[in-house]
């Protein structure tokens, strides 16, 4: 009889402990996969801590450059191996600066510069976009290296 009472008490304790709601850290809110450039932070020199991006107009070379701090970007959207800039109904890949991995850059001709650069949409690329071709993307050659045999 004592064994049955002890077993019953143990079962009740196990059942009630499974009903208690565990308190833990709240899950981190899901970050969006795209954001408008002006929502990331202020425009300014990259050397300034509070600035998030810098736009350089190099009219002499007929180009404009967008530099973006990756750490400021990943605070706002989900981290990714690659990012794209969307404006003028086109997508352009942001390239990582080889000397500073925290800087992303976009270099384009002045003719492609958007009217309001602060409204550029920055989008995180999915792993599929980053590593594989999609059926709806045309194949393009980015670089060709020609070397002369000795």
């Amino acid at each position: 009889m004592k064994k049955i009472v002890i077993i019953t008490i143990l079962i009740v304790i196990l059942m009630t402990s499974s009903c208690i709601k565990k308190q833990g850290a709240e899950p981190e809110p899901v970050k969006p996969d795209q954001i408008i450039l002006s929502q990331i932070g202020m425009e300014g020199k990259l050397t300034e801590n509070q600035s998030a991006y810098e736009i350089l107009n190099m009219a002499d070379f007929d180009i404009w450059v967008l530099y973006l701090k990756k750490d400021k970007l990943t605070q706002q959207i989900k981290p990714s191996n690659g990012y794209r800039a969307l404006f003028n109904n086109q997508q352009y890949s942001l390239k990582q600066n080889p000397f500073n991995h925290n800087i992303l850059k976009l270099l384009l001709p002045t003719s492609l510069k958007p009217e309001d650069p602060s409204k550029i949409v920055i989008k995180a690329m999915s792993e599929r976009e980053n590593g594989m071709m999609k059926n709806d993307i045309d194949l393009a050659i980015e670089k060709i290296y020609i070397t002369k045999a000795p």
Side-chain angles (χ1 to χ4, degrees), residues 29-35 39 73 75-79 122 124:
V30 177
K31 294 180 180 179
D33 65 344
Q34 67 182 26
I35 192 167
Q39 294 175 340
L73 179 64
Q75 290 173 3
Q76 303 292 325
I77 67 174
K78 61 182 168 183
I122 306 297

Side-chain angles (χ1 to χ4, degrees), residues 11-46:
I11 291 174
V12 170
I13 290 173
L14 287 173
M15 295 274 198
T16 56
S17 66
S18 65
C19 295
I20 296 173
K21 190 175 186 180
K22 293 182 180 180
Q23 291 185 0
E26 291 185 21
E28 188 175 315
V30 177
K31 294 180 180 179
D33 65 344
Q34 67 182 26
I35 192 167
I36 297 172
L37 188 61
S38 61
Q39 294 175 340
I40 298 170
M42 296 175 21
E43 180 181 358
K45 295 284 184 189
L46 290 179

Side-chain angles (χ1 to χ4, degrees), residues 66 83 93-98 103-107 142:
L66 167 67
Y83 297 93
S93 293
L94 294 168
K95 303 293 182 187
Q96 194 170 41
N97 184 326
I103 304 295
L104 300 172
K105 71 175 181 175
L106 176 65
L107 183 115
E142 186 174 307

Side-chain angles (χ1 to χ4, degrees), residues 20-150:
I20 296 173
K21 190 175 186 180
K22 293 182 180 180
Q23 291 185 0
E26 291 185 21
E28 188 175 315
V30 177
K31 294 180 180 179
D33 65 344
Q34 67 182 26
I35 192 167
I36 297 172
L37 188 61
S38 61
Q39 294 175 340
I40 298 170
M42 296 175 21
E43 180 181 358
K45 295 284 184 189
L46 290 179
T47 55
E48 299 172 1
N49 288 336
Q50 67 272 19
S51 68
Y53 64 96
E54 180 178 3
I55 297 175
L56 295 176
N57 290 312
M58 299 181 187
D60 293 343
F61 301 108
D62 192 36
I63 58 173
W64 70 278
V65 186
L66 167 67
Y67 291 106
L68 179 62
K69 291 182 180 177
K70 190 174 181 180
D71 60 347
K72 299 272 186 179
L73 179 64
T74 55
Q75 290 173 3
Q76 303 292 325
I77 67 174
K78 61 182 168 183
S80 175
N81 289 335
Y83 297 93
R84 293 183 188 241
L86 293 97
F87 58 92
N88 298 340
N89 296 323
Q90 295 290 327
Q91 293 186 26
Y92 304 97
S93 293
L94 294 168
K95 303 293 182 187
Q96 194 170 41
N97 184 326
F99 304 110
N100 185 346
H101 296 290
N102 190 42
I103 304 295
L104 300 172
K105 71 175 181 175
L106 176 65
L107 183 115
L108 290 173
T110 306
S111 61
L112 296 177
K113 182 180 179 185
E115 290 179 22
D116 187 2
S118 65
K119 293 187 179 177
I120 293 174
V121 175
I122 306 297
K123 182 180 178 185
M125 292 191 319
S126 68
E127 288 182 30
R128 181 169 187 228
E129 285 178 301
N130 204 15
M132 297 182 188
M133 284 181 43
K134 291 175 128 180
N135 293 336
D136 58 344
I137 295 177
D138 294 332
L139 179 63
I141 299 173
E142 186 174 307
K143 293 179 184 174
I144 296 177
Y145 295 100
I146 300 174
T147 57
K148 183 180 176 184

